[in-house]
């Protein structure tokens, strides 16, 4: 009897445990079913676009900063901000008396070098006089030497007289050769000094003309950085000049995405000054150097159709189109867990993803458009 009761008690415990498990399973299914009423969706076939986001700044094409080549004081700004300029038009005038004095000194040095080289001064004329006297002395000594040489060959005269004429001849020859070399050397030195003086004078003339800062392009003056009376140095810009009509779009792309960017890719952008409008552009240039301060690369694009009015520094946002695909199986990004699985009625299922946008992702395989999926808990 006790054995029968024990068997009955064990069977009752097993039945009670099974009932509890079934109750828990039914409760989970009920929770999933209730949750599915709100989060249950099906993948859809639609177009998906993968893009790279970037911030946008509008700048004039060929924008550059104009610098002075000489130091001085800004005498006058010859243009105003917003004025159109042509290539070669003066922008600013600088005052500095030092180069003018240097130019005058260079002119006087050039004149002296010309006189010295032309022979009007005593430098070459003195050597020329010595050279003429040495030539006459050499001719005279040469005649006497040859005459005495012939007499000595005939046995006429003394040996000491012959040797004396020979010595005088050799000395005059040596003196003439020395003066000829001196004349050539001095003339070459004076020619070099003349060329140097001419170069210095031309350089001083250039420096005096560099007091006027001129435009290098046809465009517009966008900024004047110095006021009249302020000190100007060669390391500080005086003005910013750029094209008047053509503007470029400067985009800062994160280093993670820069390898996806190529010239010719389409760009969709919005500007804060034109709310609600979307403009189209095309990538025109990729700068290869990374900005270490913000870990970004500079990318330029050109408007397909420019807005009616643009100003330097206008800001906005852009999406650079990397790729597009039609009839892609797409789900919301927040339904994807850990980038490789989705929650279905049968639990989590592994999937392979493709293109991704800001809020959607393409599913290549693992589920179909008839597979119900649920939003996973965060």
């Amino acid at each position: 009897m006790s054995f029968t009761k024990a068997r009955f008690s064990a069977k009752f415990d097993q039945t009670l445990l099974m009932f509890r498990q079934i109750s828990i399973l039914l409760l989970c299914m009920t929770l999933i079913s209730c949750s599915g009423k709100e989060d249950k969706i099906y993948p859809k076939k639609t177009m998906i676009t993968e893009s790279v986001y970037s911030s946008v700044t509008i700048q004039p094409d060929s924008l550059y900063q104009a610098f002075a080549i000489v130091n001085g004081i800004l005498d006058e700004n010859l243009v105003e901000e917003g004025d159109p300029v042509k290539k070669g038009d003066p922008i600013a005038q600088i005052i500095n008396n030092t180069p003018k004095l240097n130019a005058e000194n260079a002119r006087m040095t050039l004149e002296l070098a010309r006189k010295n080289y032309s022979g009007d001064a005593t430098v070459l004329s003195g050597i020329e006089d010595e050279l003429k006297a040495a030539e006459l002395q050499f001719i005279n000594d040469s005649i006497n030497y040859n005459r005495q040489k012939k007499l000595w060959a005939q046995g006429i005269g003394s040996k000491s007289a012959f040797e004396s004429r020979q010595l005088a001849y050799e000395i005059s020859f040596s003196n003439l050769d020395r003066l000829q070399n001196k004349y050539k050397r001095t003339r070459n030195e004076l020619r070099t000094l003349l060329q140097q003086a001419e170069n210095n004078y031309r350089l001083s003339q250039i420096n005096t003309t560099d007091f006027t800062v001129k435009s290098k392009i046809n465009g517009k003056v966008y900024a004047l950085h110095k006021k009249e009376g302020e000190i100007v140095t060669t390391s500080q810009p005086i003005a910013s000049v750029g094209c008047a009509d053509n503007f470029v779009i400067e985009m800062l792309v994160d280093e993670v995405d820069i390898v996806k960017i190529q010239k010719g890719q389409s760009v969709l952008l919005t500007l804060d000054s034109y709310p609600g409008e979307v403009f189209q552009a095309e990538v025109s240039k990729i700068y290869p150097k990374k900005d270490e301060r913000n870990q970004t690369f500079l990318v330029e694009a050109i408007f397909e159709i420019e807005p009616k009015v643009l100003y330097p520094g206008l800001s906005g946002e852009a999406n650079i189109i990397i790729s597009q695909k039609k009839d892609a199986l797409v789900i919301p990004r927040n339904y994807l867990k850990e980038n490789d699985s989705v929650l279905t009625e049968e639990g989590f299922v592994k999937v392979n993803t493709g293109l991704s946008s800001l809020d959607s992702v393409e599913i290549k395989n693992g589920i179909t458009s008839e597979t119900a999926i649920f939003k996973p808990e965060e």
Side-chain angles (χ1 to χ4, degrees), residues 191-210:
R191 182 188 296 114
T192 301
L193 292 174
L194 176 60
Q195 292 174 347
Q196 291 176 344
E198 290 175 344
N199 293 336
N200 291 334
Y201 181 68
R202 283 198 294 267
L203 180 61
S204 66
Q205 292 297 106
I206 294 173
N207 286 338
T208 56
T209 59
D210 285 340

Side-chain angles (χ1 to χ4, degrees), residues 68 78 115 117 124 126 128-129 145 177 221-222 256 266 296 306 309 324 330 332 349 357 366 374 378:
L78 304 176
K115 290 180 180 179
Y117 181 68
L124 277 181
E128 287 176 347
D129 293 340
Y145 167 66
D177 183 66
V221 178
Y222 285 97
V256 177
S266 298
T296 60
E306 284 190 1
V309 180
Q324 289 181 320
V330 176
V349 175
S357 63
F374 304 90
E378 297 180 358

